[in-house]
Amino acid sequence: MRLMPLAVPSAARAVVVTLIAVALALALCALVFVFYGVSPGTVYGTMLRGTLGDPTGLAEVGRRTIPLLLIGAGLALAFRAQFFNIGAEGQLLLGAVFAAGTGLFVPLPGFLILPAMFVMGALGGGLWAGVAAWLRRLNVNEILSTLMLNYIAVALVTYLIAGPWKGKDVRGYIYTDTIPDAAYLSTLPGTQVHWPTLLLGVVVALGLQWVLGRSTFGYALRVVGENPGAARYAGLNAPGIATTVALITGGAAGLAGAGEVAGIHHRLLEAGQLSLGYGFTAVIVAWLARGHPALCLITAPLMGIILAGGDLLKIDLNMPFRVVDVFSGVILLCLIASEVFVRNRVAWGK
Amino acid sequence: MDNVVVEALVRALAVGTPLLLACLGAILNERAGVVNLGVEGMMAVGALAAFAVASASPDASLWAAVGAAMLAGAALSWLHALATVTLRANQFVSGLALALLGTGAAGLLGKKFEGLPLFNKVQDWNLGGFVVSPFTVAALLLAGALAFYLNATRWGLTLRSVGENPAAADVLGVNVGLVRTLAVLAGGALSGLAGAFLALSYRASWADNMTAGLGWIAVALVIFVGWRPLRAIAGALFFGFLYYLQFRLQGNSPVPTEVFSAMPFVLVLVVLALAGRRGQAGDAPAALGRAYVRGER
C-alpha cells in the first residue's frame, strides 16, 4: 500500500473519510461492550431510543450540546493555530467559580446580575487559559500545562465549596448557597435547556467562523498554524496570536461554566457534577468539525448524544459512566488516524 | 538512622516506583522521537490486567499477572504506534485519546472487581531495615539498564539516531518505522508494569481511577529529568517525597487538604517552567513529536 498526496483534498473526501472513521470507532466500541458482557445492540439501542426517540431525551441532548458548542467552537479556533488546549475542563470550572462568586457575593441590581456572571465567567476561563499561554512562552507544552491546570481547578472548586463558600444548610454533598432568583437563566418549559446560553453558543460559533475566515487576525492565525516558517518570515507575532487564541477558547469555556451555573445548578457544586467531561468531549467536537467553528453546530449535538446516552447507560444498564471515555478515546483515535486518508490517495501494490 | 527519615524515604520510594517505571517507558519512546501522552491510560489497563489475573485464583501466578499487565500496556500503545508511526497522526492528540480510552476501558471492564481484596499480593522485601517492594528494586535496576542500553550499546545508538535525525538513520539503512514502533511498545509495557505495581503491591486492590494522575506526572517528569534514565531516579524520588509530605501533613496542619492535593500538579508546572527557562527543552530529541515521512525534510 502506498500513499499518494493529493494536491487539493476535496470536502467530499473529508466527509466520507470522517463517516468511515466514526463507523469504525462505533464498531470498536461494540467490541469493548462484548468484552464487558452486554450486547452492543442493547447498548446502542438504549442510547438511541433514549436520546433521539424521546422528547425528554432530546432535551437532555440539547442541554449537553450547550457547553460542547461553546467549548468546541473555541477549540476549533485554537487547533487551527496549533494551540492544543486540553484544559477546557478546568477553564469551564473557573468560569463557574467566577460566575457563582459574582451571583452569590456581588450586590448588583437584578437586570445586571446575569450579564455580570457571564462576563466574569469568560474572565475566569480566560484567566486559566492565560496561565497556560504564559507558560507556553516559557517553553512549557500547553497540553501538559492545561492538563495540570484541570487538576488544580478541581482542587480549587472543592476547597471553595467545602471551605469559605460552603452553604449554610449543607449535609452530605457539599455545595454553596443558591444564587438569587434574578440570576436564574430561563429554560425551555419542562426542560433544562437554558436557551439563552444556547443562543450565545450559536453566536460564538458563527462569530469565530467569521473571525477565522474573514478577518485579518483570522488570516494571521491560519498562517501561524499552517506554516510557522512563513509566519516568521512575514513578521507575524506568533506568540501573541497564540495567547489571544488561548484567551478566546478559555473565555468560551468560561461562558459554558457560567451557563451551567446560571441555567442548571444555580450554585457552585462538585467539579464532577458541574462537568461531565465536557472539556475532553469538546476536543472531539472541534476535531470532527475539522477546525471550522461553525461546523460545531452539527458536531456538538452529535457528541451531546454520546454524553446523554452515557447517562442512560448508567441508569438503564448500570454501566459506569466511564463508558463515555471509551467512546471519546476511540472516536478521537479513529478520527486522527484517518486524517492521512483525507490528504492522500491510497494506491495498492508497489 | 532517624525513624522519620527512613519512613520518608521508604514512602517516597513507594510512590516514586510507578512514576519511575512509567517515566522510563516514556523516555524510551521519546528518545526514539515519539511522544506518548497516554501513560495514564496504559497504567490503568496494566493495573486492571494485573489485578484480573492475580485475583483469578488464590494461587494464580504473580509472574503471569505482571506479564499480563505489560502485555496490556503494550497492546494499548500499539494503537498509538499504528496511528502515529504508520498513519502519521498527531502524536499529542493520539496520546490524549489513548489516555481517555485506557482509563475509560479500565474503569468499565474493572467494575466487577471494584472493592474486592487481593489475597496473593506481592510480598515486600526487608533490605536491612528498608521495607521495599520488589517492583522498586526492579525499577531502579531498569533505570540503570536503560541508561546503559541508550548510551553504551549499538542498538541504543540506533534508537537515539531515529529520535534525533530519522532521515539520516533511514539513509544508513535503519527501519525508522520499526524502531519507533518497538520503542512505543516497550514504553507501553513499562507503563503497564507501573500499573501492575499499583494493583499487586501498593494498594493490592482494584479501584477506578487508581492511577490518580500519576501517569501525567510521569510524562512531565521526562522533561524535568532531561530524557535521562538515571536522573529519573532522583526525579521520581522528589515527587514521591512530595506525595509523602501531602500524606503526612494532611490533617495535622492549618493548611486546607485541597492545597496538598493540588500541590503535585502545581509543582509540575513550576518544574516545567524552570526547565523551560533553563532551556532544557533543548535536550529534547530533535525529531520529537514529528512523524517521519521518507522524502520530506
Side-chain angles (χ1 to χ4, degrees):
Chain A
M1 183 183 101
R2 270 182 319 147
L3 296 168
M4 319 282 280
L6 292 161
V8 191
S10 70
R13 191 177 178 90
V15 171
V16 170
V17 169
T18 305
L19 288 178
I20 294 174
V22 173
L24 181 69
L26 294 179
L28 286 174
C29 290
L31 214 66
V32 177
F33 299 138
V34 171
F35 243 101
Y36 177 74
V38 188
S39 102
T42 315
V43 171
Y44 288 133
T46 308
M47 285 178 84
L48 281 180
R49 260 197 311 279
T51 52
L52 299 182
D54 162 83
T56 327
L58 217 51
E60 283 296 295
V61 174
R63 176 194 150 186
R64 280 159 179 78
T65 300
I66 298 169
L68 289 178
L69 177 60
L70 275 164
I71 302 173
L75 289 182
L77 194 75
F79 292 165
R80 284 296 274 273
Q82 303 279 332
F83 186 89
F84 292 105
N85 177 6
I86 308 298
E89 202 72 16
Q91 290 143 22
L92 177 146
L93 290 178
L94 261 282
V97 165
F98 273 53
T102 308
L104 284 169
F105 306 115
V106 183
L108 285 168
F111 68 97
L112 268 183
I113 293 187
L114 274 170
M117 281 173 71
F118 274 88
V119 169
M120 290 301 284
L123 209 68
L127 181 81
W128 216 235
V131 175
W134 174 70
L135 283 167
R136 183 162 135 138
R137 294 186 176 210
L138 303 176
N139 289 323
V140 178
N141 178 301
E142 71 274 13
I143 293 196
L144 286 177
S145 62
T146 50
L147 250 160
M148 300 296 151
L149 286 166
N150 284 344
Y151 285 100
I152 298 168
V154 171
L156 177 70
V157 170
T158 315
Y159 165 70
L160 286 174
I161 58 178
W165 288 12
K166 187 173 176 181
K168 280 190 236 29
D169 37 36
V170 164
R171 290 185 196 83
Y173 285 116
I174 42 173
Y175 41 79
T176 63
D177 291 330
T178 46
I179 51 177
D181 288 352
Y184 282 35
L185 265 187
S186 44
T187 51
L188 295 181
T191 72
Q192 290 192 308
V193 181
H194 40 115
W195 59 267
T197 323
L198 184 60
L199 208 63
L200 186 66
V202 175
V203 171
V204 166
L206 295 176
L208 290 182
Q209 184 69 49
W210 182 87
V211 165
L212 189 67
R214 297 265 183 269
S215 72
T216 324
F217 172 74
Y219 179 71
L221 185 159
R222 280 182 285 144
V223 175
V224 166
E226 278 156 35
N227 197 338
R232 228 183 348 265
Y233 188 69
L236 291 171
N237 175 8
I241 290 171
T243 304
T244 313
V245 165
L247 294 178
I248 293 174
T249 51
L255 288 176
E260 295 302 296
V261 168
I264 296 174
H265 304 295
H266 306 129
R267 53 164 73 98
L268 188 66
L269 69 176
E270 279 175 37
Q273 289 173 296
L274 260 170
S275 173
L276 310 160
Y278 291 131
F280 292 118
T281 315
V283 171
I284 305 169
V285 169
W287 211 271
L288 267 173
R290 298 192 173 268
H292 297 286
L295 280 185
C296 293
L297 290 170
I298 300 169
T299 59
L302 284 179
M303 292 310 292
I305 294 176
I306 294 210
L307 279 185
D311 246 4
L312 286 166
L313 296 181
K314 196 167 89 180
I315 299 161
D316 291 1
L317 302 182
N318 197 23
M319 290 172 86
F321 192 68
R322 283 277 189 188
V323 64
V324 169
D325 289 343
V326 177
F327 276 119
S328 304
V330 174
I331 295 176
L332 193 54
L333 205 60
C334 289
L335 271 181
I336 59 164
S338 71
E339 197 95 329
V340 69
F341 299 110
V342 176
R343 274 189 251 110
N344 295 275
R345 195 165 56 82
V346 180
W348 299 100
K350 286 234 164 167
Chain B
M1 228 191 301
D2 205 322
N3 253 341
V4 183
V5 179
V6 174
E7 195 205 332
L9 202 61
V10 166
R11 274 251 158 199
L13 269 172
V15 185
T17 298
L19 287 176
L20 179 56
L21 285 169
C23 180
L24 291 175
I27 288 176
L28 188 60
N29 52 47
E30 292 200 10
R31 276 297 188 93
V34 185
V35 178
N36 187 350
L37 297 183
V39 173
E40 182 89 358
M42 299 186 295
M43 268 171 85
V45 296
L48 179 68
F51 189 86
V53 171
S55 65
S57 85
D59 45 25
S61 157
L62 290 174
W63 285 109
V66 170
M70 295 181 72
L71 215 61
L76 193 60
S77 72
W78 176 70
L79 294 178
H80 186 65
L82 200 65
T84 62
V85 179
T86 313
L87 297 174
R88 310 172 209 154
N90 183 305
Q91 295 181 4
F92 296 95
V93 184
S94 168
L96 176 74
L98 217 61
L100 281 171
L101 171 57
T103 49
L108 181 68
L109 301 176
K111 196 184 167 223
K112 56 181 173 216
F113 298 116
E114 213 129 278
L116 292 180
L118 189 67
F119 294 108
N120 47 348
K121 79 172 263 181
V122 169
Q123 295 302 316
D124 284 344
W125 290 345
N126 190 334
L127 305 175
F130 284 92
V131 179
V132 295
S133 166
F135 281 94
T136 308
V137 178
L140 293 171
L141 292 177
L142 271 170
L146 187 60
F148 177 79
Y149 161 76
L150 283 176
N151 300 318
T153 69
R154 213 188 141 73
W155 284 5
L157 181 68
T158 306
L159 181 115
R160 282 187 291 135
S161 72
V162 165
E164 295 290 346
N165 193 339
D170 192 6
V171 170
L172 293 175
V174 175
N175 185 337
V176 174
L178 182 67
V179 170
R180 285 191 162 182
T181 300
L182 289 177
V184 169
L185 290 179
L190 283 173
S191 290
L193 186 61
F197 165 76
L198 292 177
L200 300 178
S201 175
Y202 189 67
R203 296 263 168 85
S205 65
W206 169 258
D208 188 24
N209 199 22
M210 201 152 82
T211 46
L214 285 174
W216 293 108
I217 291 184
V219 169
L221 204 57
V222 179
I223 302 166
F224 179 45
V225 303
W227 291 268
R228 290 180 179 78
L230 291 180
R231 275 206 215 162
I233 298 176
L237 261 179
F238 174 64
F239 273 95
F241 183 68
L242 283 179
Y243 271 88
Y244 163 75
L245 277 185
Q246 177 188 337
F247 167 82
R248 190 63 205 253
L249 298 177
Q250 228 160 39
N252 323 322
S253 82
V255 183
T257 0
E258 289 80 20
V259 172
F260 293 109
S261 42
M263 197 163 63
F265 304 105
V266 174
L267 254 134
V268 164
L269 287 182
V270 172
V271 155
L272 287 178
L274 288 177
R277 279 197 72 145
R278 270 213 318 272
Q280 204 174 41
D283 292 350
L288 186 63
R290 288 213 298 270
Y292 174 63
V293 187
R294 183 177 282 186
E296 279 182 16
R297 183 189 55 91

